Each structure stands twice: as structure tokens, then as C-alpha cells.
Amino acid sequence: MHVLRIDSSIQGPASASGELADLAEAAWAEERPDTTFTRRHLGTDPLPADAWATAATAGYIPAEHRTEAHHAALALAGTLADELRAADAAILALPLYNYGVSQHVKTWIDLVIAGGSPSERFLDGKPVILLTTRGGSYAPGTPREGWDHNIDYLTRILADLWGADLTVIEREFTLVGVNPALDQFTEAAALMKKAAHEAAAEAGRTLATR
């Protein structure tokens, strides 16, 4: 069993999404000690922002006229696509930033697509755990309802386009205790954290034995 883990937080050791991914990975490894993991951290080791445009335009240029930059971008896109193809499953820790996916994640997705065909199902039928976190709440009835453009987009890419058997685990109010304006939600945030941690570990255990 081979699992691809992708992180994208910019919070380092304080990452809430990384904490969830650690729980899922640990539970997975406990159930399947023979599992190998490939890890890529898009937040601490970001992909070149211009690589996708270079790889995408290279397809319209005869091979003999491509520059070193074209070849490097195509090679990177191929590597990222191959990581998904080689994985039996994936753990993806992709928090919401500025109401959507981060630039790091968007670059990764675009490069993966450039590394294959537009309709290639890189994760066809494979179990994938998507772990996402939000600093505040975007639930129905809240002032920011409808501002989360992260989950729907990632579901379209991971499940609808790439074919993943997707399990989504969400945690809100991660900025409680950091932003004083959210202090009134301390109890709710603690319950959400506990539920998300339990769900992440359970997903790791369950999907490892699927």
C-alpha cells in the first residue's frame, strides 16, 4: 500500500490541517504497517508559480524549439502526475485561504493536469481523505455563509474530475484563541476540534483496511 500525502498550510508546526493529517496518517500506519508514504508540502516547499504557464504553452511548441524552462516545467508536471498515478490512496491537508484554495494548491492542481490529459482520472476509485480547516465559520446562517469556495472546487477536481473515492473532514473556528473577536465561540470550537480529530483518525483506520 502506497499513500500520497499533500500538505499546503503556511502555519508550520501550528497547522491545524497538518495536525489532522498526522492523526489520519498515524491511524492508517497502525492498521497497515506495510504502508509507504510519499509526502509533498506545498506550503513549505512551494512549486514555482510560473511552472504551469510554461508547461501549458510548451505543448504548442515543437519539441526541438522548447527551452530548458519548457522541459523543466513539463518534467515537473509529469512528476506530480506520476505521484498521483502511483498512489493507492491519498491524504490531502488543504486549508481554506482567502475564501478558496491557496495559490500553492491551485498551482499543484494545474501542473498535475498539465502532466496528463485534461480528462485523466488520476485517482480513479482510490480512497482519498480531504482534510480542510477554516479560521472562522461559514456554516448556514453565519455572516460568511457562501464565502467558502474551497470545498466545492476541491470536490469537483478530486472526485468529479480525478475520480477519487472522497472522504471530507472539516474543522472550523481554528482562529478561536488567536482572534479575540471569536472568543465567544470557544466552547463550540473545542467541540469541533474534538470531532474533527476523531473523524480524521477514524478515516485513517477505516480506509486503510478498505
Side-chain angles (χ1 to χ4, degrees):
M1 173 71 71
H2 180 69
V3 176
L4 174 65
R5 173 172 167 174
I6 302 289
D7 287 82
S8 65
S9 173
I10 60 172
Q11 296 298 321
S15 169
S17 61
E19 188 176 30
L20 291 174
D22 287 343
L23 290 168
E25 180 180 328
W28 193 300
E30 185 176 357
E31 290 293 327
R32 294 287 298 270
D34 61 328
T35 301
T36 59
F37 291 88
T38 293
R39 299 177 182 84
R40 181 177 289 276
H41 202 305
L42 305 174
T44 59
D45 189 18
L47 300 166
D50 61 348
W52 171 70
T54 305
T57 55
Y60 300 96
I61 300 173
E64 64 271 18
H65 296 307
R66 292 173 186 166
T67 65
E68 290 186 11
H70 288 130
H71 291 297
L74 288 171
L76 176 59
T79 294
L80 298 173
D82 284 343
E83 286 179 351
L84 283 177
R85 295 183 184 112
D88 299 304
I91 298 173
L92 309 178
L94 312 178
L96 175 144
Y97 286 129
N98 296 324
Y99 316 113
V101 297
S102 72
Q103 61 169 331
H104 309 105
V105 174
K106 187 62 167 64
T107 298
W108 173 66
I109 289 170
D110 288 341
L111 279 168
V112 167
I113 293 173
S117 64
S119 59
E120 183 171 352
R121 293 172 70 83
F122 296 99
L123 294 168
D124 199 17
K126 299 175 183 180
V128 174
I129 304 172
L130 170 61
L131 305 151
T132 193
T133 53
R134 297 180 285 272
S137 178
Y138 298 76
T142 65
R144 292 289 169 85
E145 177 183 357
W147 286 49
D148 177 357
H149 302 287
N150 183 48
I151 290 292
D152 284 349
Y153 173 75
L154 290 174
T155 299
R156 292 291 171 268
I157 295 295
L158 300 173
D160 298 343
L161 183 62
W162 292 353
D165 181 1
L166 191 63
T167 298
V168 179
I169 297 169
E170 306 172 55
R171 180 187 161 198
E172 292 196 315
F173 281 139
T174 62
L175 287 179
V176 169
V178 178
N179 183 350
L182 299 175
D183 284 350
Q184 62 184 304
F185 302 111
T186 298
E187 184 176 350
L191 292 173
M192 289 179 178
K193 179 179 180 179
K194 181 176 184 293
H197 281 206
E198 291 173 350
E202 180 60 25
R205 283 190 294 270
T206 300
L207 296 183
T209 57
R210 180 173 295 182

